[in-house]
């Protein structure tokens, strides 16, 4: 018979398998499970332990472990010699205790001298057990029991210091095929998680027999078991099989059948079978299993969303009506607001928001008395305050009239007593990382069974799981808010109207979990009523890319204000990226729009080309530009081209996240961009939405998207007036005169006085500091009135303090007070100082 084939088939057997046989070697073994505390006393005694060692749970709990496990001097049978006989202490797969008893290993485990998990085998005799007053287990069939054990030292904050798993080796041998010499020796051993598939099953099932422990404690024990190794049976020198436990909890069908047999026996006057006498213990395990099943069900229903409000609703609906009839959830106001809160426990001034209320009462009964959204503090004398300050559940079996009055006293002009008096109440804290985020008030109808201690444990576990889910949702909401704030601070808020053009923008993050990225757009006001339009894309995603984007965007703004030509600006940006680090790579498209000359001056650094939509016939085209290398490559030239445009043309610039789809040629995306950009739209915003909607339907987008669209309205020659002035102080008076005259001609007489005064101040400064022969004065009528004065001095003006006797310093102060906006920027030949005035309403 092929043993390997049979062992592979064994895991498929059900939980009802009672012992390991050759066919079930990788199946299930009834295990006794014992927990021993730091004082050497038994703190947990499973049903399997009672069956194996004879003592009931009541007899064993709190007793010295060495008294209940009296194994000394027992040796294997004479025929069980070999690698694991009496003279052998260790085997090839782990450390083994000698076969002279379990006692010494328990002692060494308890006082900390055992540095490895012990496994061993001993033979217990009925007389030894009987002397202690312990009843022998049923079905022994002899005066000796062959016991295998695995002992795990435990570390951590809990009381438990040793976990012992034990099994009946004699029962196992009886089920092995007779005459198979390969399985004459059966010894316990250990395996690691990678050796056999049984560890997952053990990790899943082990907490079920530790009902008095919290989730954290049982998880800690399971982790230590898996770290030290999990039980295996050693059948020969070369063959080991994992032990998968069968806890022996009866199925509902089996319990029903036993009860029917008991009823039949009573009806016939026969004694009740012993198996029915064990029903009480079975019911305890059934109750524990049902609670675990409920908690697993709740865990599966909550946390489907990282939205805080949705998570709260899921938690409320998960417990009503199966566990409670009313569930009210309160959260700290800082949690609701997505803010942090101070360390330490809450106090009577802490405000709590009622964020959810689920119940089985008639609709509307609770809505007026305790509406969702209300915020209130809780006095120190209430059970709610006790729960939030201690972080422990508070159980009130029945709310008395006195307690009902005490709770209702905090609700002004509302009598809550009819809703709560006579009900059973359980208040459980919602906490994570030892911080109370909120609490749940659970109420049961008076006719329903009261909450008990097991309900308190269940409620605490429920609240612990819900608290972690809520905290995850809270942290996600907070991080999302931080990411959005960071992205908003990095992306400019571009005015919809610039000199000679209208602008609309869109930004889409690549993923919902990462709201920050390296794509950006910008628009910078330049001298001569020009506008610099920028779109860039830092390679990569996340905060690193966003940080790099912020640096590059700031550098572009600074250099644009210096009125550098596009190619030179990209050259300087490339040098900067190399100085910042080798990992700085980005693409960038830089465009200067001159509305007076109706011209675009464009340079490209590895970016996708822009699209021009012509106003006269509505056709769109990708501009044929020198591609250039990305920013950060270094040592490559950048070229600039000039493109003629007409009033009404639209320029569309975007990052590659909009047009790139994995597995598809980028040319397909660019063609789709051109086609969607040409689609007629009622407004610039509608046109942007059409592009985003059309290209997003193609699917597969994983990258961030930045989109900038500019309608190039141009500025008519009649809306521009220029004068050349000499370096003579009298030119300030002439400047004031020509400005007044021009504004009267344009029908802007209301602006004439202020515009003339400010223009005169700027011309005076330019004449005083210029080194050349001429000063230029320009007026531009657009959405605002723009006045610019050019000279050849590169020194930018600054505001100075002007005392009563000061001769200088008052001119720019007048400009700052009277102008809508003003500024100065360097040019290739000097500087430009400008101001704007708001046009009067027509």
């Amino acid at each position: 018979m092929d043993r390997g084939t049979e062992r592979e088939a064994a895991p498929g057997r059900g939980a009802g398998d009672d012992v390991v046989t050759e066919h079930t070697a990788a199946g299930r073994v009834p295990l006794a499970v014992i927990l021993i505390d730091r004082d050497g006393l038994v703190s947990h005694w499973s049903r399997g332990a009672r069956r194996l060692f004879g003592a009931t749970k009541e007899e064993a709990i709190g007793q010295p472990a060495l008294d209940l496990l009296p194994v000394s001097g027992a040796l294997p049978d004479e025929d069980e010699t070999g690698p694991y006989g009496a003279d052998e202490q260790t085997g090839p797969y782990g450390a083994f205790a000698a076969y002279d008893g379990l006692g010494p290993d328990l002692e060494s485990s308890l006082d900390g001298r055992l540095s490895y998990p012990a496994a061993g085998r001993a033979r217990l005799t009925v007389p030894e057990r009987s002397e202690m007053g312990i009843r022998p287990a049923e079905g022994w069939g002899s005066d000796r029991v062959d016991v295998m054990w695995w002992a795990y030292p435990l570390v951590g904050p809990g009381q438990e210091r040793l976990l012992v798993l034990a099994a009946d080796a004699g029962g196992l041998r009886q089920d092995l095929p007779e005459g198979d010499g390969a399985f004459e020796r059966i010894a316990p051993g250990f395996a690691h998680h990678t050796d056999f598939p049984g560890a997952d099953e053990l990790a899943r099932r082990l907490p079920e027999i530790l009902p008095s422990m919290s989730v954290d404690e049982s998880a800690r024990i399971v982790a230590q078991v898996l770290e030290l190794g999990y039980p295996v049976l050693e059948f020969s020198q070369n063959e080991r099989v994992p032990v998968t436990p069968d806890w022996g909890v009866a199925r509902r069908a089996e319990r029903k059948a036993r009860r029917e047999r008991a009823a039949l026996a009573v009806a016939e006057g026969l004694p009740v079978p012993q198996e029915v006498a064990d029903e009480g213990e079975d019911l305890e395990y059934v109750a524990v299993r049902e609670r675990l099943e409920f908690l697993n069900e709740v865990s599966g229903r909550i946390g489907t969303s990282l939205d805080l409000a949705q998570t709260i609703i899921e938690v409320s609906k998960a417990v009503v009506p199966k566990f409670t009839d009313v569930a009210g959830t309160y959260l700290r106001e800082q949690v609701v607001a997505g803010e942090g809160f101070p360390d330490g426990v809450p106090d009577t001034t802490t405000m709590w928001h009622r964020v959810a209320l689920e119940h089985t009462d008639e609709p509307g009964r609770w809505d007026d008395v305790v509406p969702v959204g209300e915020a209130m503090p809780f006095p120190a004398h209430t059970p709610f305050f006790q729960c939030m300050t201690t972080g422990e559940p508070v159980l009130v079996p029945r709310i008395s009239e006195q307690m009902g009055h005490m709770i209702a006293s905090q609700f002004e002009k509302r009598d809550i007593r009819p809703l709560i008096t006579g009900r059973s109440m359980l208040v459980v804290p919602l906490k994570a990382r030892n911080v109370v985020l909120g609490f749940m008030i659970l109420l049961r109808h008076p006719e329903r069974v009261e909450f008990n201690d097991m309900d308190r444990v269940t409620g605490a576990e429920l609240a612990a799981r819900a608290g972690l889910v809520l905290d995850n949702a809270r942290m996600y909401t907070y991080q999302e808010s931080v990411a959005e704030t960071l992205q908003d601070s990095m992306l400019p808020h571009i005015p919809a109207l610039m000199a000679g053009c209208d602008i609309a923008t869109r930004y889409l993050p690549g993923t919902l979990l990462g709201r920050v990225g390296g794509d950006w757009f910008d628009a910078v006001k330049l001298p001569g009523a020009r506008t610099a339009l920028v779109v860039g894309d830092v390679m990569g995603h996340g905060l690193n890319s966003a940080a790099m984007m912020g640096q590059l965007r700031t550098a572009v703004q600074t250099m644009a204000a210096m009125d550098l030509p596009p190619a030179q600006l990209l050259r300087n940006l490339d040098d900067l990226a190399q100085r910042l680090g080798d990992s700085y790579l980005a693409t960038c498209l830089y465009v200067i729009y001159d509305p007076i000359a109706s011209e675009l001056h464009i340079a490209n650094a590895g970016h996708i080309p822009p699209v021009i939509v012509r106003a006269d016939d509505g056709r769109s085209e990708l501009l044929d530009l020198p591609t250039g290398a990305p920013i950060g490559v270094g040592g490559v030239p950048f070229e600039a081209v000039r493109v003629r445009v007409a009033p009404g043309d639209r320029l569309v610039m975007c990052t590659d996240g909009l047009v790139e789809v994995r597995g598809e040629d980028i040319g397909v995306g660019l063609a789709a961009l051109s086609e969607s950009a040409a689609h007629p739209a009622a407004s610039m915003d509608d046109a942007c939405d059409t592009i985003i909607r059309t290209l997003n339907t193609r699917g597969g987008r994983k990258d961030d998207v930045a989109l900038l669209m500019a309608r190039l309205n141009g500025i008519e020659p009649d809306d521009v007036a220029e004068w050349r002035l000499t370096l003579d102080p009298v030119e300030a008076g002439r400047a004031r005169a020509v400005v007044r005259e021009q504004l009267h001609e344009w029908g802007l007489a209301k602006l004439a006085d202020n515009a003339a005064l400010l223009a005169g101040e700027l011309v005076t400064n330019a004449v005083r500091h210029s080194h050349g022969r001429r000063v230029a004065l320009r007026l531009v009528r657009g959405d605002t009135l723009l006045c610019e004065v050019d000279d050849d001095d590169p020194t930018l003006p600054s505001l100075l303090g002007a005392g009563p006797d000061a001769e200088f310093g008052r001119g720019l102060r007048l400009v700052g007070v009277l102008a809508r906006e003003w500024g100065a920027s360097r040019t290739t030949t000097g500087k430009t100082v400008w101001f704007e005035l708001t046009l009067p309403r027509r």
Side-chain angles (χ1 to χ4, degrees), residues 640-653:
V641 298
R642 296 183 183 273
V643 178
R644 296 291 300 175
V645 293
D649 288 354
R650 282 184 288 136
L651 176 69
V652 180
M653 307 162 62

Side-chain angles (χ1 to χ4, degrees), residues 382-395:
T382 60
F384 319 120
F385 185 84
Q386 178 185 349
C387 173
M388 71 179 78
T389 53
T390 64
E392 298 296 332
V394 176
L395 173 61

